[in-house]
Amino acid sequence: MEDSMKNELNLKYTYKHRKVVIYLANKYIKENKDVILGRIKNHDLDKMFMDCNQIDLSKYKKDVSQIHRKLSSHHENELEKDYIDYIEMVLDWESARYTKPDKPLNAYDTLYKYYPTMEEKIMPILEEFEINKSNLPMEEDVLEYVNSIGEVSIEEIKNELVSYINSACI
């Protein structure tokens, strides 16, 4: 596959995933929604910037992912975490099963397969969101939302990145 095509696929993959993370946040979060959404709105944007460089980075996908995991507090790493980081982690895991065919586990199953030592921090959030069971079926409204996103254009991705740059620089 041509390298620029692979970068484009990575961008579209992450773009759709970001949209579903935000959708799930709006669906599940009841308290302090504005504060939490204010932090989550930039979920995985760093990955999109790394994937959209003019320099071909597609062969460095694993390196880009490692950098993202090391620098993002919503991933298991050495960074200090707060409650919102754990919420974002749960939303990241739950979104993945809707947007990433290579990651079919729901948040509950992801917790116990990959991060069982985080149970004390994660389980209360899963309970609050009522997604604290194994093998839960995909929710119809989320599937409908994913389908409504449709085919993502490079223009949509560009607009989202430019919007972020403009808001971060103001």
Side-chain angles (χ1 to χ4, degrees):
M1 178 181 295
E2 186 180 317
D3 291 338
S4 62
M5 176 75 102
K6 189 155 181 150
N7 278 2
E8 185 175 324
L9 291 174
N10 289 340
L11 280 165
K12 290 178 178 183
Y13 178 93
T14 303
Y15 177 90
K16 194 174 246 188
H17 171 70
R18 280 180 33 73
K19 293 295 184 193
V20 176
V21 165
I22 293 165
Y23 178 86
L24 290 173
N26 276 298
K27 175 181 172 119
Y28 294 134
I29 296 167
K30 306 292 186 241
E31 295 179 24
N32 300 317
K33 189 177 249 186
D34 290 341
V35 172
I36 295 169
L37 286 172
R39 289 248 314 262
I40 292 173
K41 72 180 181 183
N42 298 326
H43 178 84
D44 287 357
L45 269 172
D46 60 323
K47 287 169 55 176
M48 293 181 68
F49 279 105
M50 288 186 272
D51 279 334
C52 74
N53 283 309
Q54 294 296 334
I55 302 166
D56 175 34
L57 295 176
S58 62
K59 59 184 158 229
Y60 301 105
K61 174 71 174 142
K62 287 188 181 197
D63 297 322
V64 167
S65 291
Q66 284 180 328
I67 292 167
H68 169 69
R69 285 189 188 97
K70 184 177 181 181
L71 299 177
S72 300
S73 58
H74 70 272
H75 282 284
E76 184 182 45
N77 54 32
E78 299 302 315
L79 298 176
E80 188 174 328
K81 295 179 185 0
D82 63 20
Y83 181 66
I84 296 173
D85 294 319
Y86 291 111
I87 287 174
E88 188 172 359
M89 198 177 287
V90 166
L91 296 170
D92 191 24
W93 298 344
E94 189 65 17
S95 173
R97 72 185 183 132
Y98 291 97
T99 61
K100 300 178 175 185
D102 56 317
K103 296 178 177 137
L105 298 179
N106 68 358
Y108 179 93
D109 293 326
T110 299
L111 168 65
Y112 287 109
K113 181 169 183 173
Y114 297 107
Y115 312 104
T117 60
M118 298 175 75
E119 178 182 29
E120 184 180 312
K121 298 287 187 184
I122 299 294
M123 187 50 77
I125 298 166
L126 294 175
E127 289 169 353
E128 178 185 340
F129 294 171
E130 298 179 3
I131 55 173
N132 57 325
K133 293 181 177 55
S134 181
N135 294 315
L136 285 173
M138 289 190 176
E139 297 181 60
E140 284 300 316
D141 65 307
V142 181
L143 287 169
E144 287 174 18
Y145 178 73
V146 170
N147 289 332
S148 77
I149 296 171
E151 188 60 35
V152 178
S153 72
I154 289 300
E155 191 65 27
E156 288 173 292
I157 292 167
K158 177 184 168 191
N159 290 341
E160 183 155 320
L161 293 173
V162 168
S163 175
Y164 170 73
I165 291 168
N166 289 335
S167 69
C169 293
I170 294 174

